[in-house]
Amino acid sequence: MLDAQTISLLAAKLDKAERTKSLIPMFSRDYPDIAIEDAYAIQRAWTRLQLDRGRIIKGHKIGLTSKAMQNAVGIAEPDYGVLFADMFYADAGPIPFDRFHAPRIEVELAFVLKAPLQGPDCTIFDVLNATDYVTPALEILETRMHRVDPDTGKTRKVMDTISDNAANAALVLGGRPFRPLDEDLRWIGALLFRNGEVEETGLAAGVLNHPANGIAWLANRLAPHGEHLAAGEVVLAGSFTRPVDIRLGDTFHADYGRFGSVSCQFV
């Protein structure tokens, strides 16, 4: 485990990188023995810095929920990060491109909770009972560190991504909210358009076979730290498309069929 001083130092580096829109070296390069629990400790320290600055936690996100992505980074479980209130943008509205350095976008389902979820024994049935409604969502990803090291050519490891708040930066909620027990969430699909052309398609079953499984996993993962998912939280369940690079001027539109659509433009 990294010592407390190092964890605080690395959290401060991430904080500065975000505020200055600059990239820092990946932590796994300078600390090759960094572990997943070290990465979450850095994320929690970074989160405390944001709270001290006045940011407000409004939810959580889950990432790396597909087998393909887990195999790509060499882990057997998802990861998670924190959603702050200033990350939320209105459906069909503009998003300032200069807020980001190298953003990407993914298609997801968002769960809005009406009751708290506490591990360590949270199940998919607990999640469905605690969810007020589910709605389509777009997640904007960002990085505060190099995805590929400019000197060695090595790519980020999952510990880098976890430290970096699971690469989260913003999100858009839209579409038609619906009750989680009214539909088979596995079969909800979406078409992701960029500037009128289809870039990606996918089914929500790609998220751990059922997107509510990710919410249960998160509640259980938070429990050892004395944390839980609170009533009213928005939880992004994980992407069922690959991330798509965002360019200045791009308009994205995700069509969820009878569940509506969600869109945004980067200006």
Side-chain angles (χ1 to χ4, degrees):
M1 293 288 290
L2 297 177
D3 60 73
Q5 183 176 359
T6 301
I7 287 169
S8 296
L9 172 66
L10 296 180
K13 286 185 176 181
L14 279 171
D15 180 58
K16 182 178 180 181
E18 181 178 42
R19 288 185 288 108
T20 59
K21 299 181 184 63
S22 57
L23 294 180
I24 59 176
M26 56 189 73
F27 295 158
S28 60
R29 187 190 77 168
D30 297 331
Y31 301 89
D33 295 328
I34 186 173
I36 284 180
E37 289 309 317
D38 293 322
Y40 280 119
I42 294 167
Q43 184 190 122
R44 289 192 294 274
W46 175 85
T47 298
R48 288 193 293 270
L49 291 175
Q50 310 315 302
L51 295 174
D52 290 344
R53 194 170 290 118
R55 299 181 80 178
I56 299 170
I57 292 177
K58 193 171 179 179
H60 285 79
K61 68 149 288 183
I62 306 165
L64 300 177
T65 50
S66 72
K67 287 295 183 183
M69 289 301 295
Q70 290 178 13
N71 292 337
V73 298
I75 63 167
E77 67 174 22
D79 67 358
Y80 68 85
V82 176
L83 301 177
F84 293 100
D86 60 5
M87 293 177 171
F88 287 69
Y89 285 90
D91 183 20
I95 298 178
F97 184 78
D98 62 5
R99 174 174 176 174
F100 313 104
H101 183 273
R104 299 187 292 176
I105 196 165
E106 292 180 335
V107 169
E108 314 209 3
L109 290 175
F111 286 61
V112 181
L113 302 181
K114 62 183 177 183
L117 283 170
Q118 179 103 34
D121 300 312
C122 183
T123 69
I124 184 175
F125 308 108
D126 298 319
V127 173
L128 295 174
N129 286 330
T131 299
D132 193 7
Y133 59 89
V134 180
T135 191
L138 294 170
E139 181 185 5
I140 292 92
L141 304 174
E142 176 65 302
T143 182
R144 271 64 64 163
M145 60 181 71
H146 294 288
R147 292 185 184 132
V148 178
D149 186 82
D151 298 322
T152 67
K154 293 183 177 179
T155 58
R156 289 179 304 176
K157 295 184 177 180
V158 67
M159 288 74 75
D160 301 308
T161 306
I162 291 171
S163 302
D164 196 13
N165 197 34
N168 177 255
L171 69 155
V172 182
L173 303 182
R176 177 175 71 80
F178 56 92
R179 302 295 181 187
L181 292 174
D182 291 346
E183 307 291 341
D184 185 347
L185 302 185
R186 300 172 305 156
W187 288 99
I188 294 177
L191 311 173
L192 178 63
F193 294 82
R194 172 168 53 188
N195 304 328
E197 295 186 359
V198 174
E199 287 278 352
E200 279 292 318
T201 66
L203 281 177
V207 179
L208 299 174
N209 190 47
H210 191 294
N213 281 326
I215 314 297
W217 171 86
L218 177 56
N220 293 329
R221 193 68 171 78
L222 290 172
H225 305 289
E227 302 173 2
H228 70 281
L229 299 174
E233 278 203 39
V234 176
V235 186
L236 289 176
S239 176
F240 45 96
T241 63
R242 70 173 179 87
V244 175
D245 291 333
I246 299 170
R247 304 171 304 220
L248 177 63
D250 278 345
T251 295
F252 286 91
H253 173 85
D255 183 353
Y256 286 74
R258 63 191 182 88
F259 299 100
S261 64
V262 56
S263 62
C264 59
Q265 182 181 19
F266 291 85
V267 298

